[in-house]
Amino acid sequence: MNSILRSATRCLRPGGAAVWLSRHQRQTNGHVMSLAWARLLCTATGDIQKGIGEMVKKDKVVVFIKGTPAQPMCGFSNAVVQVLRMHGVDNYSAYNVLEDQDLRQGVKEFSNWPTIPQVYFNGEFVGGCDILLQMHQNGELVEELRKLGIHSALIEAEKEAQKTESDDKP
């Protein structure tokens, strides 16, 4: 059905490109809710970029991945989802770029970054999987999440481990 609508709307405006942002995936408390975001933009490239700009500002954490958080379709997207999960970040927007080729290409142009996944904090491009993993490994991700008002679950786990360790000592 989506492909029929996409095809039918491509001709709405000469010189325009139809972008079907068919699903906005949001993971909340470990569950993925599909919000019927079904928004059709039949516009020129500049408006596609404007639409992506609005998308990255919708939530504190926004990711463009292949697949969904519940079912990532590539190892790099899965790594981003797992890192966020380890830190207890479960309230974020995830956009599946496999649903729309225009979105997939548009986000690459928007960030001037050639690969997917892409991670945004407060509307600012952070990087891809490699950058997020590096931030996780060197502890920078905890600080960046704190700036967003998100308390990393890894810090709580570390505190709990230290408490348990000190309780076990005579």
Side-chain angles (χ1 to χ4, degrees):
M1 179 68 168
N2 285 348
S3 61
I4 293 169
L5 290 172
R6 253 196 310 264
S7 298
T9 59
R10 289 198 189 277
C11 62
L12 288 178
R13 190 182 317 181
V19 179
W20 184 263
L21 305 174
S22 61
R23 294 203 186 268
H24 172 236
Q25 298 292 332
R26 181 186 307 264
Q27 185 174 349
T28 307
N29 298 328
H31 303 327
V32 177
M33 298 186 313
S34 177
L35 302 176
W37 211 61
R39 190 167 94 159
L40 177 65
L41 300 170
C42 188
T43 58
T45 304
D47 286 340
I48 292 171
Q49 297 302 303
K50 181 180 175 189
I52 292 171
E54 292 171 6
M55 293 165 78
V56 300
K57 292 175 184 169
K58 265 187 136 12
D59 284 307
K60 291 178 183 180
V61 179
V62 175
V63 295
F64 292 88
I65 59 175
K66 293 177 182 175
T68 66
Q71 191 172 14
M73 300 301 286
C74 83
F76 298 115
S77 293
N78 185 46
V80 165
V81 169
Q82 293 304 320
V83 167
L84 292 174
R85 189 171 291 146
M86 278 191 290
H87 285 271
V89 180
D90 46 335
N91 190 16
Y92 62 93
S93 292
Y95 295 93
N96 181 357
V97 299
L98 296 178
E99 288 185 345
D100 186 279
Q101 188 61 35
D102 293 329
L103 175 61
R104 185 176 181 174
Q105 186 58 39
V107 74
K108 291 176 184 180
E109 292 168 7
F110 180 82
S111 64
N112 197 27
W113 189 263
T115 60
I116 304 292
Q118 293 188 13
V119 180
Y120 292 79
F121 291 165
N122 272 346
E124 297 292 322
F125 178 62
V126 173
C129 176
D130 54 344
I131 303 295
L132 193 69
L133 282 173
Q134 184 179 45
M135 291 172 68
H136 165 69
Q137 290 168 346
N138 68 20
E140 187 180 342
L141 184 55
V142 171
E143 179 61 24
E144 290 302 314
L145 291 173
R146 186 191 63 73
K147 290 177 186 176
L148 297 173
I150 300 170
H151 195 72
S152 174
L154 289 182
I155 297 298
E156 291 303 314
E158 185 178 301
K159 286 179 183 176
E160 186 63 33
Q162 288 174 353
K163 181 180 183 284
T164 302
E165 190 177 289
S166 66
D167 290 347
D168 291 342
K169 289 184 181 178

